[in-house]
């Protein structure tokens, strides 16, 4: 697959970029970082295009502005969609990555992507995550030669960030609207409410979709504290980590787990109920969660 290439004007004129995110707070769905860039000489025209902080616009207005932005040959844009699984995995792993660091890495990734495409970035405006000055220094050290302006509510101060906020918000809205569940349980639906932890409709959706062993569908960010109370009565499942399996394998004393059925789970049975811990033949659901159905010694 060929690498993306910047518009010709972006490789010949100094450009400015705005970066903003959508979906940082919700317990459901992806977090999306979006950027918009244009030639510095286009800045005055950009201010007349009625871009505004996406949170102040109705959905129909955002969609209309996003389509006009896409059709504008003087504007470029990119997105980074961080799925709930990735957020949860990074925030819950042994060497945890907090949400601020995930956000910083996503924003820096968009800057790097634009530079790799050949965009002559001169200025980048970005909504702060954490301390604005520390964030600005971090960005400047990573990308010397680019002027960074980091500010609270940058999406309401700079039109280029307002445009980026529309890109990120519409992308997230569409991702949720077109969400396809990996899971195959019956009676699953997308009447999720706002997706924010305090929304009663969202809490009811979580209650309706929890499973005592498998947790929530992949739409949910397991790392959010909102999820914890739903599993006070959950069944505890333990399994060996991949590292321990490899260590144990070297001396021939591989530990095995009890079958999930002994923990109260009754699913359909495979032809061979005992599957080797290598994971071959396991369905996508079990592979993704490192769950194993293994031998039970008599």
């Amino acid at each position: 697959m060929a690498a993306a290439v910047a518009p010709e004007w972006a490789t010949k004129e100094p450009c400015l970029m705005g970066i903003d995110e959508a979906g940082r707070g919700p317990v459901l769905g992806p977090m999306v970082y979006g950027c918009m860039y244009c030639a510095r000489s286009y800045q005055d025209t950009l201010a007349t295009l009625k871009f505004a902080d996406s949170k102040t616009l109705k959905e129909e207005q955002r969609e209309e502005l996003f389509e006009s932005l896409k059709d504008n040959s003087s504007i470029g844009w990119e997105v980074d969609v961080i799925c709930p699984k990735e957020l949860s995995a990074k925030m819950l792993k042994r060497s945890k990555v907090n949400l601020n660091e995930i956000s910083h890495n996503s924003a820096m990734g968009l800057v790097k992507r634009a530079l790799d495409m050949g965009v002559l970035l001169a200025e980048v405006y970005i909504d702060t995550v954490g301390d604005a000055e520390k964030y600005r220094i971090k960005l400047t050290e990573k990308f010397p030669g680019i002027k960074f302006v980091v500010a609270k509510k940058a999406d309401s101060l700079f039109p280029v960030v307002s445009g980026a906020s529309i890109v990120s918000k519409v992308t997230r809205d569409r991702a949720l609207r077109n969400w396809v569940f990996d899971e195959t349980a019956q009676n699953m639906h997308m009447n999720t409410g706002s997706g924010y932890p305090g929304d009663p409709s969202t809490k009811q959706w979580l209650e309706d979709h929890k499973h005592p062993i498998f947790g929530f569908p992949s739409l949910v960010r397991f790392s959010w504290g909102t999820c914890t109370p739903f599993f006070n009565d959950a069944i505890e499942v333990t399994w060996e980590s991949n590292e321990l399996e490899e260590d144990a394998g070297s001396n021939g004393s591989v530990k095995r787990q009890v079958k999930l059925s002994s923990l109260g789970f009754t699913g359909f049975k495979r032809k061979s109920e005992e599957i080797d811990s290598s994971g071959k033949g396991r369905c996508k659901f079990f592979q993704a969660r490192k769950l194993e159905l293994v031998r039970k010694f008599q």
Side-chain angles (χ1 to χ4, degrees), residues 23 114 133 158 171 180-181 185 196 235 248 258 263 296:
E133 181 59 15
F158 308 107
T171 300
V180 177
F181 287 103
Y196 281 88
I235 297 170
V258 296
L263 298 173
K296 185 176 180 182

Side-chain angles (χ1 to χ4, degrees), residues 4-23:
V5 179
E8 188 175 355
W9 53 261
T11 65
K12 295 181 177 180
E13 298 183 59
C15 295
L16 54 92
M17 171 187 278
I19 300 176
D20 198 23
E21 57 78 26

Side-chain angles (χ1 to χ4, degrees), residues 196-205:
Y196 281 88
D199 187 334
S201 297
T202 299
K203 289 181 178 178
Q204 187 59 53
W205 187 93

Side-chain angles (χ1 to χ4, degrees), residues 23-65:
R24 179 179 168 86
V27 66
L28 303 178
M31 180 170 74
V32 178
Y33 260 79
C35 73
M36 188 182 81
Y37 58 90
C38 66
R40 187 187 276 158
S41 60
Y42 190 73
Q43 192 169 5
D44 291 340
T45 304
L46 184 67
T48 69
L49 299 183
K50 299 181 179 178
F51 292 138
D53 174 5
S54 63
K55 294 184 288 293
T56 67
L57 302 172
K58 294 181 179 178
E59 183 176 353
E60 299 78 16
Q61 293 174 304
R62 292 194 297 266
E63 287 282 346
E64 185 178 336
L65 285 169

Side-chain angles (χ1 to χ4, degrees), residues 64-84:
E64 185 178 336
L65 285 169
F66 185 49
E67 290 303 320
S68 68
L69 181 155
K70 287 164 56 180
D71 292 338
N72 189 325
S73 60
S74 296
I75 290 174
W77 59 277
E78 295 287 332
V79 294
D80 180 26
V81 180
I82 310 168
C83 71

